[in-house]
Structure formats: structure tokens, C-alpha cells
């Protein structure tokens, strides 16, 4: 019914632990973030090459930490460990049930940290290959290496063209920085949306389970209610029959009346108890309707978040296309700049030859 939002982000390891956060006021005391042990999972986003630790408690995400190569998981006791997240400006602590669970989590943290480091290096290498630095030597330096006069002595249309291309390159660089900033802001917004979506999905799963259990209980309650109603009618018939019999003369009238009175009291007590059970069943039915209403609201919020996320992905895709076209323009500009540099070098050599010829003529 709903699209799978986390097809690209998969859990790679999960453990149960009590979650704590450092007190922002004292920076010493631990504050419990969960009332009981919750699931703490490592997630990997293949599209953005990002590793995260996520944990959901109740209806909110209590851990949403992106792992970087600079992070370190420290075991402070046999069953407790912690790490600092500078982006979230906090320190997370985890208390495990056994020392083995702590060791497994620590080993997984080291593996993910190393994988994050390799992914960052690979991303930097890829970025450098796609966007080579503009380390084009200035004409003055070229002329000094080849013992030619400075470029400042040449005034002509080539010099103006070179300056124009340099201005274009500066403009392309600033445009690229602006696009990178927009992509970064979009990624942060997407992370927040994913965290909220993850929380809603967990809450929705709990509501569905509770609703399923409540529906099963309603069927059982209806069955019990029908049985109680049948038994109530049967008891009423017995009471009516006993009342009718009490009006007839019997061999021992006093004993019969006492027995009938006692039977009537017992039947009235039983009927009262059945009425209370029926009342409780009706009140539980109202709780089920409230659960259904909360589930519908959660589903609506989930659909709204998925719509916002789709719009954000379209925006990121558009920005990536703009960046690709900008990179193509930059490559063309670099080629043009290189051609201008080659032309200038040729003219510099020609100028050197001309000066040498003039010097020879003057010496003669």
C-alpha cells in the first residue's frame, strides 16, 4: 500500500541497549533517553555512501548519528560504551545486558568507521578526477622557466581574452560553490525527513499491531457478550419460573421461600456481575475506535512526508543536472584557456626570436 522508503538504506547490524545522553548543562551526568532497552541499528545509505546509527524510542528518534572517520567508540565499563557526535553536539551512551553484546557493537563501530573513511577517500578521489584544480601556470612563470620576457610586455587581444576567460572561471567556481551549498542543505533536510519518517513508520507498525490485537479481542468479546446475553436470558427465565413456583402452595412453605430468596439473591448478584462485564466490553470498543483514529492520522502524516521527500529528491536531481552542465561549461572554458595559453607561448617565442635578431643586427 505504501512505497518502501528505505530501499536504498539497509540495516547492517542491530542490538538492544539502554540509551543515554550527556547532560548538556553539566557535561558529566547521564540522562536516560529511553525507559527500557531499545533497538540500536547501523544503517548504510548506498546512494550517499553514508553510515548512520539510528534508534527509535516510542514515537521519536532518540539516536540519529552520522558516523565519521573521526568518531571513536569508548568502552568505559564491562557493559557500557559511549561516543561523541559533534554534529548533534552531544555524547551518546549505551548500556548493554552482557559484555559480549558490548564487544560486538564496538567491533561493528570500528568496521563502519573504517568503511566511512574509505568511502570518504574514494569520494574525494572521484571529486578530484571530475573537478581537476586549475593549476595553470601564469604566463610570467612560464616565461621565467624558459627565459622569456614577462607577459606584461604583451598588450593585445590575447591578453584581454585571457582575462575574460579568467573572470568566467571565477564565476563558474562561485556557481559551483553555491550549488554544493544547496545540495548540502537538501541532504540535511532529507536526513531530518527520513528520521521523522522512520519514527512514523515504527509508530504505525505498533498501531497496526495494537489494532490487530484489539480486533481479535473484539471478536472474542462479542462472542463472550453473546454468551453472557444468552445466559442472562436463561437466568431471567429461571427467576420468572421460580417466582411463579413461589406462588404455588408447597409441603414446606417456609423452607421453599428461604431457598427461593437465596436463589434470587444469587441470580441477582450474577446478573450484576454480567452487566459490569458487558459495560467493560463497551468501553473497550471505544478505545479501539481511538486507536483506529490515531492510526489514520499517522498514515496521513506518513503520506505527507513521502510526498515532501519525493519533491526534495526531484529538487536534488535538478540541482545535480545543473551541476553537470556547469562542469561541462567549465571543461570547455579550461580547454579555451589552454588554447589561449598555447597561442601566447607561441607569440612569446616569436618575440624572443625577433629580439635576438634585432640584437644581432645591432651588434653588427
Amino acid at each position: 500500500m505504501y512505497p518502501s522508503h528505505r530501499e536504498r538504506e539497509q540495516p547492517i547490524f542491530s542490538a538492544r541497549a539502554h540509551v543515554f545522553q550527556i547532560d548538556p548543562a553539566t557535561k558529566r551526568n547521564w540522562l536516560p533517553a529511553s525507559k527500557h532497552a531499545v533497538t540500536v541499528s547501523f544503517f548504510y545509505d548506498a546512494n550517499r555512501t553514508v553510515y548512520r546509527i539510528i534508534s527509535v524510542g516510542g514515537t521519536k528518534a532518540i539516536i540519529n548519528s552520522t558516523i565519521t572517520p573521526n568518531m571513536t567508540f569508548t568502552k568505559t565499563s564491562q557493559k557500557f560504551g559511549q561516543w561523541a557526535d559533534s554534529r548533534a553536539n552531544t555524547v551518546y551512551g549505551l548500556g548493554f545486558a552482557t559484555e559480549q553484546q558490548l564487544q560486538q557493537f564496538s567491533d561493528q563501530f570500528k568496521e563502519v568507521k573504517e568503511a566511512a573513511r574509505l568511502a570518504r577517500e574514494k569520494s574525494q578521489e572521484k571529486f578530484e578526477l571530475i573537478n581537476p584544480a586549475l593549476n595553470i601556470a601564469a604566463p610570467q612563470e612560464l616565461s621565467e622557466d624558459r627565459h622569456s620576457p614577462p607577459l606584461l610586455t604583451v598588450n593585445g587581444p590575447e591578453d584581454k581574452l585571457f582575462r575574460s576567460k579568467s573572470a568566467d572561471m571565477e564565476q563558474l567556481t562561485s556557481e559551483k560553490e553555491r550549488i554544493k551549498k544547496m545540495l548540502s542543505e537538501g541532504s540535511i533536510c532529507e536526513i531530518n525527513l527520513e528520521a521523522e519518517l522512520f519514527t512514523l513508520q515504527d509508530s504505525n507498525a505498533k498501531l497496526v499491531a495494537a489494532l490487530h490485537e484489539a480486533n481479535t479481542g473484539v471478536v472474542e468479546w462479542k462472542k463472550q457478550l453473546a454468551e453472557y446475553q444468552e445466559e442472562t436470558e436463561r437466568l431471567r427465565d429461571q427467576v420468572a419460573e421460580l417466582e411463579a413456583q413461589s406462588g404455588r402452595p408447597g409441603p414446606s412453605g417456609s423452607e421453599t421461600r428461604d431457598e427461593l430468596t437465596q436463589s434470587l439473591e444469587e441470580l441477582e448478584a450474577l446478573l450484576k456481575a454480567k452487566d459490569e462485564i458487558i459495560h467493560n466490553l463497551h468501553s473497550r470498543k471505544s478505545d479501539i475506535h481511538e486507536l483506529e483514529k490515531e492510526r489514520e492520522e499517522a498514515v496521513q502524516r506518513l503520506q505527507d512526508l513521502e510526498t515532501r521527500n519525493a519533491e526534495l529528491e526531484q529538487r536534488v536531481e535538478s540541482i545535480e543536472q545543473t551541476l553537470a552542465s556547469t562542469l561541462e561549461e567549465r571543461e570547455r572554458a579550461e580547454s579555451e584557456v589552454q588554447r589561449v595559453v598555447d597561442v601566447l607561448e607561441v607569440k612569446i617565442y616569436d618575440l624572443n626570436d625577433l629580439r635576438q635578431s634585432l640584437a644581432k643586427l645591432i651588434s653588427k
Side-chain angles (χ1 to χ4, degrees):
M1 180 178 178
Y2 308 106
S4 179
H5 178 72
R6 293 192 167 271
E7 291 180 353
R8 66 176 187 177
E9 191 170 14
Q10 299 295 333
I12 57 179
F13 179 82
S14 296
R16 292 189 65 82
H18 291 269
V19 180
F20 300 86
Q21 287 188 10
I22 200 70
D23 188 352
T26 63
K27 298 296 183 181
R28 293 182 180 179
N29 301 326
W30 289 106
L31 300 177
S34 61
K35 296 181 180 179
H36 50 79
V38 295
T39 301
V40 182
S41 303
F42 289 85
F43 282 87
Y44 174 62
D45 189 341
N47 288 357
R48 294 187 290 115
T49 320
V50 171
Y51 293 87
R52 293 194 296 165
I53 300 177
I54 294 178
S55 178
V56 176
T59 59
K60 65 178 182 178
I62 56 180
I63 298 179
N64 185 10
S65 177
T66 301
I67 301 177
T68 64
N70 299 327
M71 288 183 176
T72 302
F73 184 80
T74 304
K75 293 188 289 184
T76 57
S77 68
Q78 293 182 351
K79 299 180 182 180
F80 193 86
Q82 66 184 49
W83 79 95
D85 189 340
S86 58
R87 295 185 179 180
N89 193 24
T90 188
V91 179
Y92 293 105
L94 297 180
F96 295 89
T98 63
E99 185 177 356
Q100 182 181 3
Q101 292 178 357
L102 173 61
Q103 185 62 41
Q104 291 176 352
F105 190 90
S106 177
D107 295 340
Q108 187 66 37
F109 194 98
K110 292 178 181 178
E111 293 179 6
V112 172
K113 173 184 173 181
E114 180 65 18
R117 183 185 65 80
L118 296 176
R120 174 177 290 185
E121 292 178 355
K122 185 177 180 181
S123 177
Q124 290 177 350
E125 292 176 359
K126 183 178 179 181
F127 182 78
E128 290 175 358
L129 290 174
I130 298 177
N131 305 283
L134 294 178
N135 296 324
I136 301 175
Q140 286 186 350
E141 295 174 355
L142 292 172
S143 61
E144 289 173 1
D145 293 340
R146 304 185 184 183
H147 306 288
S148 58
L151 180 62
L152 295 176
T153 59
V154 180
N155 294 321
E158 291 84 358
D159 186 27
K160 295 180 180 179
L161 179 60
F162 180 78
R163 292 179 180 177
S164 175
K165 293 299 180 182
S166 298
D168 292 340
M169 292 305 299
E170 292 178 358
Q171 184 177 0
L172 285 174
T173 302
S174 62
E175 181 68 15
K176 175 187 170 185
E177 293 296 330
R178 185 182 67 83
I179 293 176
K180 284 174 63 179
K181 183 178 180 182
M182 292 176 63
L183 285 173
S184 176
E185 293 175 352
S187 299
I188 293 173
C189 183
E190 184 179 1
I191 290 173
N192 294 333
L193 286 176
E194 288 179 353
E196 187 175 355
L197 181 61
F198 185 80
T199 303
L200 285 176
Q201 286 177 338
D202 184 73
S203 176
N204 183 61
K206 292 180 180 179
L207 286 174
V208 170
L211 184 60
H212 179 72
E213 182 179 357
N215 288 334
T216 305
V218 166
V219 175
E220 186 67 23
W221 296 336
K222 287 182 178 180
K223 184 178 179 181
Q224 292 180 4
L225 181 61
E227 293 176 355
Y228 293 153
Q229 288 176 345
E230 291 179 0
E231 187 174 358
T232 300
E233 294 297 328
R234 183 178 60 82
L235 292 174
R236 292 182 188 278
D237 293 341
Q238 290 181 1
V239 170
E241 184 179 353
L242 289 173
E243 289 178 349
Q245 291 178 358
S246 64
R248 300 176 184 177
S252 55
S254 178
E255 294 179 0
T256 304
R257 282 195 298 272
D258 293 340
E259 292 177 359
L260 289 175
T261 303
Q262 184 178 359
S263 299
L264 286 173
E265 291 176 352
E266 292 176 356
L267 290 174
E268 288 177 355
L270 183 59
L271 285 173
K272 184 177 181 181
K274 299 300 182 182
D275 289 336
E276 290 179 355
I277 293 175
I278 293 171
H279 179 71
N280 293 333
L281 290 176
H282 283 297
S283 62
R284 290 185 181 181
K285 289 177 65 177
S286 63
D287 294 338
I288 295 172
H289 290 306
E290 292 179 358
L291 283 175
E292 179 67 24
K293 184 178 180 181
E294 291 179 1
R295 178 179 177 275
E296 292 177 356
E297 292 176 354
V299 168
Q300 183 62 38
R301 291 180 61 192
L302 179 62
Q303 291 176 346
D304 295 340
L305 281 175
E306 289 174 349
T307 303
R308 290 173 58 191
N309 187 57
E311 294 175 354
L312 181 60
E313 289 179 352
Q314 291 178 357
R315 180 184 175 189
V316 171
E317 182 179 357
S318 175
I319 293 175
E320 289 176 349
Q321 293 177 356
T322 305
L323 179 59
S325 62
T326 304
L327 291 175
E328 292 178 359
E329 294 178 359
R330 176 178 177 177
E331 291 176 357
R332 288 196 296 268
E334 288 176 355
S335 301
E336 185 66 22
V337 169
Q338 186 62 40
R339 187 186 66 80
V340 172
V341 170
D342 294 340
V343 171
L344 291 175
E345 288 180 353
V346 172
K347 289 190 175 293
I348 289 171
Y349 284 127
D350 293 341
L351 182 59
N352 286 336
D353 293 340
L354 180 59
R355 286 190 173 185
Q356 292 176 2
S357 300
L358 290 174
K360 290 180 180 179
L361 291 175
I362 293 172
S363 63
K364 289 180 179 179

